[in-house]
Amino acid sequence: MNDINHIWGPYLAMLQQEGNLADLYYKVKDNRVSPYLELQADNLYGNGHSGKYLKLDVNPYIRFLKIFEPLLSPDDMGYEEFNQALSDILLHYLADLDLKSGMCKQDFYTSFIVKDLESGAYGGLDELKEFTRMEKVETARWLLCFYKTGDNESCISGAAGCLLPECEVLVREGTEFVFYMREPWNETDNKKLMFLVRLFLPLSAPYTVHWTRTYGVTGYNETMRLGSFVLA
């Protein structure tokens, strides 16, 4: 299924990019509607702008005829503006329903954890401000994995790999977590890392963060090359 031709495609893209869903404007009764396409769009965001709206011409006959048939009368009853507004509201609802219908159990659990993160249930709301919507979702997925497996080393490594590509997680002597950030210190990435540490590591777990360079860690040959580490 190609999302460009379905109402949930632009809806999902707007959610992923943290856009304003009110800027999506679904239209029916347009001359450009094709009998073969549900969404008549030249690109992912529709076929034109109207003020602040992204106009999306929809063919409601493919899946939604029973819903829209009363609104598609060929006679102009003087309710055109009302019908268009109602169509837009209904299609927003149907697009959201499409997304939820395609969710598995894990997606639902993940969405609940994201809500908990945003409500402050895990603390660190100041740090969480640095996360995009998709980064919150990735964090929630790894946190769900942690709840299932109890493997904090693999889960924090996976989460850091997604959110902080420059971060490598090492475990020194089986106890101390070493976060090797192959970049100069910056506040945004530091806040993200500290948030992950809070989520996945026990309070008693020792950890060290090294920026740009780290010391050699036994068992990790890549850190033992001359010139790639400092003594600590």
Side-chain angles (χ1 to χ4, degrees):
M1 183 182 292
N2 188 351
D3 62 359
I4 195 173
N5 292 327
H6 293 82
I7 60 174
W8 54 267
Y11 192 93
L12 175 60
M14 190 69 80
L15 282 176
Q16 290 175 332
Q17 297 181 21
E18 301 186 74
N20 185 359
L21 289 172
D23 288 345
L24 284 181
Y25 183 66
Y26 292 105
K27 291 182 61 181
V28 297
K29 286 188 175 181
D30 192 282
N31 294 329
R32 299 182 67 244
V33 170
S34 164
Y36 307 105
L37 300 176
E38 179 174 293
L39 185 63
Q40 187 76 40
D42 298 330
N43 57 63
L44 189 60
Y45 297 103
N47 46 35
H49 294 256
S50 176
K52 68 174 183 176
Y53 295 114
L54 304 174
K55 297 190 299 182
L56 299 167
D57 296 330
V58 180
N59 176 9
Y61 297 100
I62 295 179
R63 288 196 294 154
F64 312 120
L65 177 61
K66 291 184 179 180
I67 297 173
F68 286 94
E69 191 172 21
L71 303 176
L72 300 175
S73 169
D75 301 322
D76 184 2
M77 305 298 292
Y79 299 107
E80 179 69 19
E81 185 176 350
F82 172 77
N83 285 349
Q84 286 294 346
L86 182 58
S87 297
D88 179 45
I89 293 170
L90 288 173
L91 285 162
H92 270 266
Y93 173 78
L94 292 167
D96 187 65
L97 190 62
D98 272 348
L99 293 184
K100 287 183 169 61
S101 296
M103 294 173 70
C104 63
K105 186 185 294 184
Q106 178 168 309
D107 291 330
F108 275 104
Y109 290 157
T110 299
S111 67
F112 296 148
I113 294 176
V114 170
K115 289 181 180 179
D116 285 343
L117 289 171
E118 293 176 336
S119 70
Y122 295 90
L125 285 178
D126 180 60
E127 296 161 349
L128 194 64
K129 292 177 183 177
E130 305 295 339
F131 287 63
T132 66
R133 172 69 182 178
M134 293 310 297
E135 286 175 337
K136 293 175 186 176
V137 171
E138 282 297 328
T139 302
R141 286 173 179 165
W142 282 106
L143 190 56
L144 180 60
C145 178
F146 175 53
Y147 288 153
K148 291 179 178 179
T149 65
D151 187 348
N152 61 347
E153 179 181 341
S154 296
C155 292
I156 195 171
S157 296
C162 292
L163 275 63
L164 301 165
E166 298 302 321
C167 178
E168 184 176 359
V169 182
L170 313 172
V171 183
R172 184 171 181 265
E173 298 180 351
T175 57
E176 180 188 5
F177 283 80
V178 179
F179 298 96
Y180 174 23
M181 302 293 293
R182 297 185 295 272
E183 63 177 351
W185 183 92
N186 68 82
E187 185 176 3
T188 297
D189 284 354
N190 185 62
K191 284 185 175 181
K192 289 180 180 180
L193 180 57
M194 291 301 99
F195 189 80
L196 296 181
V197 167
R198 176 186 291 107
L199 284 183
F200 294 102
L201 298 191
L203 292 175
S204 59
Y207 70 90
T208 305
V209 182
H210 290 280
W211 297 84
T212 307
R213 291 176 178 270
T214 186
Y215 51 66
V217 179
T218 304
Y220 298 91
N221 293 333
E222 66 275 13
T223 70
M224 304 298 289
R225 292 192 295 270
L226 184 64
S228 64
F229 62 90
V230 295
L231 295 178

